[in-house]
Amino acid sequence: MKRILPAILMACCIPVMSFAQGGPGAQGPPGGFGGRGGRGAPPPQGKVGAPADFTGYWVSPVFEDYRWRMFTPLKGDAASVPINPAGRKIVDSWDPAKDEAAGEQCKAYGAAAIMRVPGRLHITWQDDNVLKIETDAGTQTRLFHFTGQPPKDAEPSWQGYSAARWDRGVAPGPPTVPVGFQPRQGGRSRTLDVVTTQLQAGYLRKNGVPYSANTTVTEYYDHWAEPSGQEWFTVTTVVSDPDYLAIPFVTTTDFKKEPDGSKFNPKPCSTR
């Protein structure tokens, strides 16, 4: 019995380990993505290769972390963020008036944090190889590039440079692994992978929880649908910062598709 139990536990972990391998950040071709392995040519990229339609208007219902997402946290509150001592010093010295005086009201709206800011998105294709995400919170624009490498001489910015790749995903099938690993009905697993670099230093939360210019943001987008046909996507965001985080900071955020843009209401960045 003692030998059987470890074998069962290892078998349960295999799908998770396989899912993690070969994603952005793993060893493989240049551009921030690892090899997928297996047989066959890689899937086509850009608009022509899209396995799911992300275009349209989306809203982010706040199901969790209400106190940190819907309100500006109190000074010094970095709960659940794995900041290191250097990061703690910045949190404790946060002063929104200084950010306003420096014209840095958008420090909490950079790529490492923007998907957690409550609000709406408008997603379109800028061209055949660039997917554009516009946010009404802070009026930010993210560009997901399916071809090319980040310009070496580009200036850091709030949204940085995002290299994107469609993922083959995992089609729904009979339950062969424990509950919690099976894709949702009509959905795929890891529809889109995105790696963002060349960032300007900013905040993970409005109250000064920092990330540095050396940060890499890796995102996994899962497009799925309810049995009713209602479309959603879930983004898992992994923020890796060697300067201010002891370990990567991981969050998941859900977005629900809306019928039109009647509720899309762009507002400028705010420090408070």
Side-chain angles (χ1 to χ4, degrees):
M1 185 65 182
K2 291 183 179 180
R3 294 181 180 180
I4 295 175
L5 182 57
I8 295 175
L9 293 175
M10 288 182 67
C12 292
C13 291
I14 288 174
V16 181
M17 293 169 64
S18 299
F19 180 88
Q21 293 173 354
Q27 293 183 354
F33 297 114
R36 293 296 299 159
R39 301 177 181 178
Q45 297 300 315
K47 187 175 182 179
V48 68
D53 184 9
F54 282 89
T55 62
Y57 291 89
W58 305 79
V59 64
S60 176
V62 180
F63 296 131
E64 76 293 304
D65 290 349
Y66 196 91
R67 81 184 221 203
W68 297 306
R69 295 180 63 190
M70 296 302 293
F71 304 97
T72 300
L74 297 175
K75 182 174 181 176
D77 182 2
S80 82
V81 182
I83 57 171
N84 60 21
R88 168 52 64 184
K89 290 181 180 179
I90 294 178
V91 173
D92 291 340
S93 63
W94 171 67
D95 183 350
K98 289 184 178 179
D99 291 336
E100 292 169 350
E104 295 186 332
Q105 292 91 334
C106 292
K107 291 187 77 169
Y109 295 80
I114 189 61
M115 303 305 278
R116 296 292 284 172
V117 179
R120 289 176 165 80
L121 309 178
H122 182 209
I123 304 180
T124 57
W125 284 98
Q126 177 168 284
D127 58 43
D128 288 345
N129 291 304
V130 178
L131 188 67
K132 180 167 68 172
I133 298 182
E134 298 171 278
T135 73
D136 65 356
T139 61
Q140 299 296 300
T141 299
R142 302 190 67 189
L143 300 177
F144 291 176
H145 302 265
F146 285 86
T147 59
Q149 297 290 331
K152 293 182 179 180
D153 57 349
E155 289 292 326
S157 63
W158 298 127
Q159 303 309 324
Y161 184 93
S162 297
R165 182 194 65 183
W166 297 120
D167 197 295
R168 292 182 186 276
V170 179
T176 57
V177 293
V179 174
F181 297 127
Q182 191 69 7
R184 284 153 287 202
Q185 179 171 339
R188 295 167 58 87
S189 179
R190 285 179 58 180
T191 315
L192 174 64
D193 299 347
V194 181
V195 175
T196 301
T197 54
Q198 297 183 330
L199 288 165
Q200 185 174 347
Y203 295 151
L204 293 171
R205 291 178 181 157
K206 275 193 174 184
N207 66 334
V209 179
Y211 64 87
S212 75
N214 292 319
T215 292
T216 297
V217 179
T218 305
E219 296 167 290
Y220 306 98
Y221 288 76
D222 173 14
H223 183 281
W224 55 282
E226 296 177 350
S228 65
Q230 174 63 58
E231 291 184 65
W232 293 76
F233 73 80
T234 301
V235 55
T236 300
T237 303
V238 182
V239 180
S240 301
D241 180 7
D243 295 342
Y244 298 135
L245 295 179
I247 59 174
F249 177 51
V250 182
T251 57
T252 58
T253 311
D254 297 304
F255 288 86
K256 179 180 179 180
K257 193 164 190 178
E258 297 193 306
D260 54 46
S262 59
K263 297 180 181 179
F264 189 76
N265 184 25
K267 295 181 180 179
C269 299
S270 170
T271 61
R272 304 171 190 270

